[in-house]
Amino acid sequence: MRLALKTATTTTLFFLTRFSLFRAPTVTTLPLPLLHSPLPTTTTTTTISTPSFPIFCACAPMSIATKHVVHVRDKIELSDIERSIFDRLLATLRHFNLHTQLRVAGGWVRDKLLGKDCYDIDIALDNMMGTEFVDKVREYLLSIGEDAQGVCVIESNPDQSKHLETARMRLFDMWIDFVNLRSEEYTENSRIPSKQSFGTAEEDAYRRDLTINSLFYNINTDSVEDFTKRGILDLKSGRIVTPLPPKATFLDDPLRVLRAIRFGARFEFTLDEDLKVAAACSDVKDALAAKISKERIGTEVDLMISGNQPVKAMTHICDLTLFWIVFSLPPEFEPAIPDGCERLCISYLDTAWNLIHLLQEPTFTDEERRLSLFAALFLPLKNTTYQVKKAKMVPVVNYIIRDSLKRKAKDAEMVLDLHRASKKFLSLIPFLASNEDLQPDDVDWTIGLIDDVSVASRGRVLTGFLLRELKDLWRVALLVSILLHPIDINNIEDESSELHKRRDLFNTVESSIIKLGLDKVWEVKPLITGKDVMNVLQLKGGGPLVKEWLDKSMAWQLANPSGTTEECIDWLRESHSKRVKLE
């Protein structure tokens, strides 16, 4: 059986249809502009007709206000280790007769109130620097016969969101950071505070990014302090709000926009309406592009993709018209990217995310899941290229990952490899799903690999070569190819049944690969070496000819899994002799 694969246009149209971009809106939408952020291109842009901003079926529309009640504890319950740590700190105060208030700040307080474990303890001091207090703690510990472990100082680094020098030490096998309370002033063109000074706890609370992150736990009084008067309320109601007016907060430090999105997605909290309007305004978008390093943007995106709600986070970015700010493109590229492409990106991400969770076993590691989601997100851009180094054309996905997000070069290489491999997997799916013979013209990447292979063995040989190339990432590449594989939508009642069809197809192909004995094929040692090839062909040195015959020998080995080294050498000698005669 031969299954004709549909064109990329058909697949794109399928996703747009399945994910509501052509459907009339059925909910009240936010009074924000259409998702038509300017794209840096010199080519004419093709427009896809879309409904008014923004409709995306995979997540509940962002504009619908839902009553979100969160269980928040009345009191923080300390673990035994936390109590031991705080006892040592209080004992230090008593030992030196210090009148310092010790407050745990930010995320630890929030998470403890939500009943979650947190191992990131940041302590704010009201009247001394962190290094000064750490010296006192170390001196006290030595006086009672205990060691002070891992004492160090982390210099300020605004690009990494470290605006102040931080002292760090290890207590009871936990790292504790110490920093002074502070107030800050910013200049117009920088997210780095132009003026910092000791501040009150209230000033420190109001300078923070979100009200739910502005809470303190006062170690001295064993109490939670809510100086903004709404941190607890917003935590209970599940709302993402800034302590000060959102536009001013974001202009001071535009990275807070992405942090608001990340925390909103992580806790499934509702973004405040004023916050959304401020985040989507042109001044804040310009500041995000100009003031924030690409590394910091990339770190936030990575945390979102690796988090528990990546689709919700990317949908927020899209809804707030920040997609092409975050995933910025090179000045010139081709072909043109159609309007609405960002919605298609999230549609692929959503399908990948749901498919991963629908699969029965923990098929993917955390790293494989992260790579599969990045690959899915950028699938609509896989054929768009830009020029580097004279005439070399490179996929824009490489630019986004390496330049716009400043992620590791390896991340870009692996995502591009997954995109390329998904095309190969697509051509093999009919064979692997039906176990029928693979026809020569079903694939366009064989480069003569199956010329000398029987029709019955072609599918196994090509699958083996692909998996030897992908190694442990073959399931990730299969997932990406399943996203691209056309599904007959005429017999599908809803998105759920369409998703189940993709799940079933993934399982069928995976089972076929396992039955063929190829699931660890890259660990199979070749029967013959380059030296064997040189001996048979009577060559004095290596080169392309040796590589060609090594590949052909591996093809023979894959077609004859029980073959021996002697049989492979005999085949090599005979095949080479036939070629010489033909030439």
Side-chain angles (χ1 to χ4, degrees), residues 516-570:
L516 287 169
L518 297 174
D519 51 317
K520 291 286 185 180
V521 68
W522 58 91
E523 297 178 356
V524 173
K525 185 179 178 181
L527 290 174
I528 63 174
T529 65
K531 186 176 181 180
D532 294 325
V533 173
M534 291 169 60
N535 288 336
V536 172
L537 273 58
Q538 297 181 347
L539 299 174
K540 293 183 179 180
L545 189 58
V546 174
K547 174 64 168 60
E548 177 189 347
W549 280 104
L550 281 175
D551 286 342
K552 286 181 174 292
S553 297
M554 177 53 67
W556 181 92
Q557 185 175 341
L558 289 168
N560 300 272
S562 59
T564 65
T565 298
E566 291 74 17
E567 290 172 335
C568 187
I569 290 177
D570 288 342

Side-chain angles (χ1 to χ4, degrees), residues 357-390:
H357 285 272
L358 196 59
L359 294 170
Q360 292 296 319
E361 300 175 1
T363 305
F364 304 107
T365 65
D366 290 343
E367 176 62 8
E368 289 169 349
R369 187 188 75 169
R370 185 181 75 93
L371 287 172
S372 66
L373 294 179
F374 269 121
L377 179 66
F378 299 135
L379 260 182
L381 303 173
K382 65 184 177 66
N383 295 323
T384 305
T385 60
Y386 70 107
Q387 189 175 37
V388 295
K389 295 180 180 179
K390 298 181 180 179

Side-chain angles (χ1 to χ4, degrees), residues 9-76:
T9 303
T10 304
T11 303
T12 300
L13 206 55
F14 159 75
F15 264 92
L16 292 176
T17 304
R18 296 305 297 161
F19 291 96
S20 307
L21 289 181
F22 290 130
R23 299 178 187 174
T26 57
V27 296
T28 304
T29 57
L30 273 175
L32 293 176
L34 288 173
L35 271 177
H36 286 188
S37 304
L39 298 177
T41 177
T42 57
T43 53
T44 304
T45 301
T46 304
T47 302
I48 297 177
S49 176
T50 62
S52 58
F53 177 90
I55 299 297
F56 176 63
C57 78
C59 300
M62 295 296 174
S63 54
I64 296 179
T66 56
K67 182 102 172 157
H68 197 156
V69 179
V70 180
H71 176 67
V72 177
R73 294 183 175 182
D74 295 328
K75 192 177 189 318
I76 284 181

Side-chain angles (χ1 to χ4, degrees), residues 149-442:
Q149 302 174 342
V151 176
C152 63
V153 176
I154 303 172
E155 301 295 335
S156 61
N157 186 345
D159 285 340
Q160 298 298 322
S161 288
K162 291 289 184 183
H163 294 167
L164 279 183
E165 176 185 275
T166 302
R168 173 174 289 183
M169 74 183 311
R170 195 168 179 83
L171 290 172
F172 297 93
D173 292 325
M174 286 186 65
W175 285 105
I176 317 296
D177 286 353
F178 298 86
V179 70
N180 58 284
L181 292 170
R182 59 203 186 272
S183 63
E184 298 172 345
E185 295 179 12
Y186 294 83
T187 58
E188 181 178 352
N189 297 319
S190 175
R191 65 180 289 263
I192 303 173
S194 60
K195 181 181 179 182
Q196 296 187 85
S197 58
F198 273 96
T200 64
E202 183 175 0
E203 288 173 332
D204 193 280
Y206 273 101
R207 70 159 188 86
R208 293 180 179 269
D209 53 1
L210 304 172
T211 56
I212 63 171
N213 293 337
S214 67
L215 299 166
F216 292 105
Y217 169 72
N218 190 313
I219 297 175
N220 301 56
T221 61
D222 185 26
S223 62
V224 174
E225 298 172 329
D226 184 6
F227 290 101
T228 68
K229 303 296 190 296
R230 61 175 303 169
I232 298 291
L233 179 64
D234 290 333
L235 198 59
K236 288 182 176 179
S237 60
R239 296 181 60 78
I240 298 296
V241 185
T242 55
L244 295 173
K247 185 173 181 179
T249 298
F250 293 155
L251 288 176
D252 281 346
D253 185 354
L255 186 67
R256 291 168 176 167
V257 174
L258 299 184
R259 286 176 56 82
I261 290 171
R262 177 162 62 86
F263 283 116
R266 173 184 170 186
F267 295 112
E268 299 187 69
F269 283 6
T270 302
L271 300 184
D272 176 69
E273 293 297 320
D274 290 340
L275 181 151
K276 288 192 284 189
V277 171
C281 79
S282 58
D283 290 344
V284 170
K285 288 194 288 188
D286 290 343
L288 179 62
K291 293 173 67 172
I292 306 301
S293 71
K294 300 297 186 182
E295 289 87 350
R296 291 300 298 142
I297 291 176
T299 297
E300 288 296 322
V301 169
D302 217 328
L303 289 170
M304 294 177 199
I305 290 292
S306 302
N308 62 324
Q309 292 290 338
V311 180
K312 187 178 288 291
M314 292 303 110
T315 303
H316 279 314
I317 286 176
C318 197
D319 287 349
L320 298 175
T321 66
L322 298 171
F323 195 88
W324 299 115
I325 301 295
V326 173
F327 304 112
S328 59
L329 297 165
E332 296 183 10
F333 51 84
E334 60 181 35
I337 294 176
D339 290 344
C341 179
E342 59 270 49
R343 291 290 174 190
L344 185 58
C345 290
I346 297 174
S347 295
Y348 276 113
L349 175 68
D350 176 69
T351 303
W353 175 250
N354 288 321
L355 189 54
I356 288 170
H357 285 272
L358 196 59
L359 294 170
Q360 292 296 319
E361 300 175 1
T363 305
F364 304 107
T365 65
D366 290 343
E367 176 62 8
E368 289 169 349
R369 187 188 75 169
R370 185 181 75 93
L371 287 172
S372 66
L373 294 179
F374 269 121
L377 179 66
F378 299 135
L379 260 182
L381 303 173
K382 65 184 177 66
N383 295 323
T384 305
T385 60
Y386 70 107
Q387 189 175 37
V388 295
K389 295 180 180 179
K390 298 181 180 179
K392 185 178 180 182
M393 301 301 290
V394 177
V396 296
V397 174
N398 178 75
Y399 181 92
I400 292 173
I401 296 175
R402 298 187 65 170
D403 294 87
S404 301
L405 302 179
K406 293 294 183 182
R407 298 293 87 192
K408 297 177 294 186
K410 185 178 179 182
D411 281 352
E413 292 167 4
M414 295 182 85
V415 169
L416 294 180
D417 285 345
L418 289 171
H419 283 175
R420 286 188 287 264
S422 66
K423 180 181 179 182
K424 296 180 180 180
F425 244 130
L426 267 176
S427 63
L428 296 175
I429 285 177
F431 157 72
L432 292 167
S434 65
N435 203 29
E436 295 192 11
D437 293 342
L438 187 72
Q439 300 302 315
D441 55 350
D442 284 339

Side-chain angles (χ1 to χ4, degrees), residues 442-499:
D442 284 339
V443 290
D444 58 4
W445 50 275
T446 61
I447 319 176
L449 284 177
I450 57 175
D451 291 349
D452 301 324
V453 176
S454 67
V455 172
S457 299
R458 286 170 179 162
R460 188 179 196 279
V461 170
L462 292 179
T463 304
F465 268 100
L466 180 55
L467 268 58
R468 286 177 68 84
E469 174 187 328
L470 291 166
K471 298 183 174 60
D472 284 317
L473 284 180
W474 71 264
R475 284 184 173 87
V476 179
L478 173 59
L479 177 83
V480 176
S481 68
I482 294 294
L483 300 180
L484 293 168
H485 194 274
I487 298 291
D488 185 4
I489 63 175
N490 295 323
N491 299 322
I492 294 178
E493 296 178 0
D494 52 33
E495 282 86 4
S496 176
S497 59
E498 178 264 322
L499 192 64

